[in-house]
């Protein structure tokens, strides 16, 4: 759904849309995401517009890929030499032999998406004008550390304008680059339509709340992904692809690791929430999804004598949040892909609170992630109440305050008809977290729950995961 910051585009623009234009900055961290480009190309075919990739943008994406290849090759060569020195033979499988070969492969990959994705070739006269913009410091040229820049931006923007017959209302630029606005302003042109990738779906299409059947299909699909391993953020059958997480290495807090070599998401442990579910007129569903995932890392530790020791380990309880787009066929989900190619991750374990009321607020607020609530969750504001879900389940909460430890106990009861189950979450004081000299400045209230129900899921997320698991039980494998 479009936000207040990015409202739906005017109806005249949406209905007369000729193309969406991808800039280098359209992609997370400026690197090509071929799946995203392919997905938007398919949406464009279905809805009667095109996806444009200007040639200078493709050149820049190819160069970024070549730089990544060089970094990978350098790291692989170092590891290979160390292993060979230890008497091990390691095969070296490099699909490319030069930067030029990498860039040619990127060109071919994007070119293979035709006709759903169109590469807009750069005309020679526009290339000359773009170079002149940079040399003579005409908009959108700029200086960075006394180095003149801006020719690439000028070239692709000029080419898009020509391809669109100078009709600014006929295309939407994917991104949020202020330099693009500066170029149009410098050329005395109207402000272009520019939308960041995460808001593109909501601004282009009319989105509605899904039916109960569609919502149930999404949750069943997600439940089917639970317990599956991930490789590069994908399940083995490639039916689920999460976006990249930029800072996975920051999740490692083991003081012994002086150098972290690699951190990757491991196995999906549980679905702990789904929210903001919307569906477009052509049946494309999107939703914000929360998974509990294990991560795996490898690195080096310094031994007592100063030598480096290779080490690998797993990090349990990583909370991954992503916005997924779901493909439905005959009412069933066949695959899900990250809407923007970018996910976020945080440690879900070892949480503590400075105040028991803060802990209770987070616990009840996470109930918003159980799909299908028909009543406002503010009913839980007085530490008691009931939520009715559209699939016939009722969830009630009762909180009892204690004078000691636990400080309070929250009892959740999930029921439908004559069936019911309960889950208890307690707020306790963890004295081990409090140093003797400054007992008041360190958070020490923690949440605990019954392991028999939650299977190691952090207590903050336990009620949502527990309710989802009962409402949509995983199918036996």
């Amino acid at each position: 759904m479009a936000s207040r910051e990015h409202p739906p585009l005017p109806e005249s623009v949406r209905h007369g849309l000729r193309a969406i234009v991808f800039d280098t900055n359209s992609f997370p961290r400026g690197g090509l995401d071929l799946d995203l480009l392919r997905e938007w190309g398919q949406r464009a075919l279905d809805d009667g517009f095109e996806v444009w990739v200007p040639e200078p943008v493709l050149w820049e994406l190819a160069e970024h890929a070549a730089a990544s290849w060089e970094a990978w090759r350098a790291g692989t060569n170092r590891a290979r030499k160390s292993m060979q020195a230890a008497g091990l033979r390691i095969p070296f499988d490099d699909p490319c032999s030069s930067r030029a070969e990498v860039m040619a492969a990127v060109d071919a990959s994007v070119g293979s998406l035709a006709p759903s994705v169109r590469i807009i070739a750069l005309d020679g006269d526009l290339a000359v004008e773009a170079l002149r913009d940079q040399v003579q410091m005409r908009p959108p040229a700029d200086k960075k550390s006394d180095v003149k820049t801006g020719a690439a931006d000028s070239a692709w923007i000029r080419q898009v304008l020509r391809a669109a017959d100078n009709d600014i209302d006929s295309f939407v630029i994917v991104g949020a680059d202020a330099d693009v606005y500066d170029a149009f302003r410098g050329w005395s042109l109207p402000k272009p339509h520019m939308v960041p990738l995460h808001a593109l779906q909501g601004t282009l299409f009319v989105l509605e709340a899904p039916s109960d059947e569609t919502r149930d299909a999404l949750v069943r699909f997600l439940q089917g992904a639970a317990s599956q391993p991930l490789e590069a953020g994908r399940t083995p059958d490639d039916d689920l692809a999460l976006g990249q997480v930029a800072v996975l290495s920051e999740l490692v807090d083991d003081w012994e690791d002086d150098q972290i070599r690699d951190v990757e998401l491991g196995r999906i442990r549980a679905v702990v929430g789904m929210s903001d579910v919307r569906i477009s007129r052509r049946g494309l569903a999107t939703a914000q999804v929360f998974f509990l995932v294990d991560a795996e890392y490898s690195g080096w530790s310094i031994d007592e004598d100063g030598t480096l020791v290779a080490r690998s380990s797993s990090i349990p309880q990583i909370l991954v949040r992503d916005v997924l787009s779901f493909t439905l066929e005959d009412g069933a989900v066949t695959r899900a892909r990250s809407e923007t190619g970018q996910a976020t991750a945080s440690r879900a374990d070892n949480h503590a609170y400075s105040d028991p009321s803060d802990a209770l607020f987070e616990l009840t607020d996470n109930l918003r992630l159980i799909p299908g609530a028909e009543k406002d969750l503010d009913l839980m504001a007085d530490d008691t109440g009931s939520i009715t879900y559209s699939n016939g389940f009722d969830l009630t909460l009762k909180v009892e305050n204690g004078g000691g430890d636990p400080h309070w106990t929250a009892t959740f009861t999930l029921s439908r008809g004559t069936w019911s189950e309960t889950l208890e979450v307690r707020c306790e004081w963890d004295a081990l977290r409090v140093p003797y000299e400054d007992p008041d400045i360190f958070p020490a209230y923690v949440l605990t729950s019954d392991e028999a129900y939650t299977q190691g899921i952090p207590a903050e997320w336990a009620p949502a995961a527990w309710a989802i698991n009962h409402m949509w039980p995983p199918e036996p494998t």
Side-chain angles (χ1 to χ4, degrees):
M1 181 170 61
S3 64
R4 293 180 181 178
E5 183 182 358
H6 303 287
L9 291 165
E11 187 174 351
S12 59
V13 174
R14 288 188 285 114
H15 289 175
L17 185 64
R18 183 173 174 182
I20 58 172
V21 182
F22 275 82
D23 177 19
T24 307
N25 295 324
S26 304
F27 299 97
R29 296 173 292 281
L32 174 64
D33 189 323
L34 201 65
D35 275 349
L36 275 175
L37 208 53
R38 182 184 293 110
E39 177 66 26
W40 274 103
Q42 186 58 52
R43 296 182 196 181
L45 279 179
D46 293 342
D47 283 87
F49 59 90
E50 296 181 323
V51 170
W52 290 355
V53 179
E55 196 170 31
V57 171
L58 181 57
W59 294 341
E60 193 168 1
L61 292 171
E63 193 283 327
H64 289 183
S68 297
W69 170 80
E70 286 183 316
W72 168 82
R73 186 181 177 90
T76 303
N77 281 339
R78 286 195 297 269
R80 185 167 177 261
K81 289 177 181 178
S82 296
M83 299 185 78
Q84 284 178 329
L88 302 173
R89 292 184 175 274
I90 306 298
F92 186 71
D93 184 16
D94 188 349
C96 300
S97 59
S98 66
R99 283 176 54 88
E101 192 173 339
V102 174
M103 291 187 283
V106 172
D107 289 349
S109 296
V110 176
S112 70
L113 301 181
S116 62
V117 176
R118 178 182 166 194
I119 299 173
I120 306 297
L122 179 62
D123 295 335
D125 62 320
L126 297 185
V128 171
E129 284 299 308
L131 182 59
R132 186 177 178 184
D133 287 341
Q134 179 170 306
V135 171
Q136 297 186 345
M137 293 300 295
R138 303 185 306 188
D142 196 5
K143 270 190 175 182
K144 298 178 179 178
S145 301
D146 293 328
V147 177
K148 295 178 180 180
T149 64
D153 282 345
S154 175
W156 77 257
I157 295 171
R158 288 178 180 276
Q159 192 63 62
V160 166
L161 284 167
R162 176 173 288 181
D165 300 320
N166 292 317
D167 183 358
I168 294 175
D169 280 343
S170 69
F171 62 88
V172 173
I173 298 170
V174 184
D177 190 349
D179 290 342
V180 175
Y181 287 136
D182 291 343
F184 279 76
R185 183 169 52 250
W187 296 337
S188 299
L189 294 173
K191 188 177 181 179
H193 303 289
M194 186 158 58
V195 180
L197 184 60
H198 69 84
L200 189 59
Q201 166 86 352
T203 57
L204 285 184
F205 305 115
V206 176
L207 303 181
E208 302 172 344
S211 65
D212 291 346
E213 291 77 16
T214 297
R215 181 211 59 216
D216 290 348
L218 302 189
V219 183
R220 283 195 296 269
F221 175 85
L222 297 174
Q223 284 285 72
S227 80
Q228 291 198 49
L230 295 171
E231 184 171 350
R234 297 169 180 266
T235 52
D237 293 335
D238 200 29
D239 54 352
L240 172 65
L242 298 175
Q244 297 180 29
V245 179
V247 290
L248 270 177
S249 60
E250 295 182 7
L251 302 178
V252 180
D253 57 8
D254 192 334
W255 64 271
E256 291 183 328
D257 281 350
D258 295 279
Q259 181 179 351
I260 301 166
R261 189 173 72 233
D262 190 34
V263 184
E264 292 289 342
L265 295 179
R267 185 174 297 275
I268 299 175
R269 297 186 61 188
V271 180
V272 296
M274 185 177 79
S275 65
D276 301 326
V277 185
R278 292 292 182 269
I279 189 164
S280 69
R281 288 176 299 178
R282 73 176 186 86
L284 179 71
T286 60
Q288 181 174 232
V289 175
F290 296 78
F291 288 113
L292 200 65
V293 182
D294 288 337
E296 299 171 353
Y297 75 92
S298 56
W300 303 94
S301 298
I302 300 179
D303 209 349
E304 292 181 358
D305 61 0
T307 60
L308 287 177
V309 179
R311 181 183 178 193
S312 62
S313 185
S314 65
I315 314 170
Q317 302 177 347
I318 301 297
L319 183 70
V320 177
R321 176 176 60 86
D322 202 352
V323 176
L324 302 181
S325 60
F326 299 82
T327 301
L328 294 107
E329 295 180 6
D330 298 325
V333 178
T334 57
R335 66 172 189 157
R337 292 288 183 271
S338 175
E339 180 73 1
T340 64
Q342 195 165 14
T344 61
S346 60
R347 292 290 289 261
D349 60 343
N350 206 32
H351 280 187
Y353 302 87
S354 298
D355 189 275
S357 61
D358 294 338
L360 184 58
F361 175 81
E362 179 160 341
L363 181 69
T364 55
D365 192 57
N366 285 343
L367 297 177
R368 299 179 186 275
L369 303 182
I370 305 172
E374 293 182 339
K375 294 184 178 179
D376 196 327
L377 280 169
D378 289 340
L379 292 174
M380 296 292 192
D382 295 329
D383 304 340
T384 184
S386 178
I387 305 172
T388 299
Y389 293 87
S390 55
N391 53 10
F393 283 89
D394 290 302
L395 180 66
T396 61
L397 167 63
K398 182 178 180 181
V399 177
E400 296 180 359
N401 292 308
D405 222 3
H407 191 85
W408 52 254
T409 299
T411 302
F412 296 89
T413 302
L414 185 67
S415 61
R416 185 169 66 173
T418 59
W419 174 89
S420 69
E421 288 282 353
T422 60
L423 172 68
E424 188 177 274
V425 178
R426 299 169 295 278
C427 179
E428 300 174 346
W429 174 261
D430 185 359
L432 295 178
R433 296 175 179 268
V434 183
Y436 177 76
E437 59 274 13
D438 291 304
D440 298 328
I441 65 174
F442 288 87
Y445 289 101
V446 298
L447 298 182
T448 62
S449 61
D450 192 336
E451 291 288 328
Y453 285 116
T454 60
Q455 301 175 1
I457 297 174
E460 293 87 342
W461 301 93
W466 166 78
I468 290 172
N469 219 41
H470 279 302
M471 292 181 179
W472 297 274
E475 296 182 359
T477 57

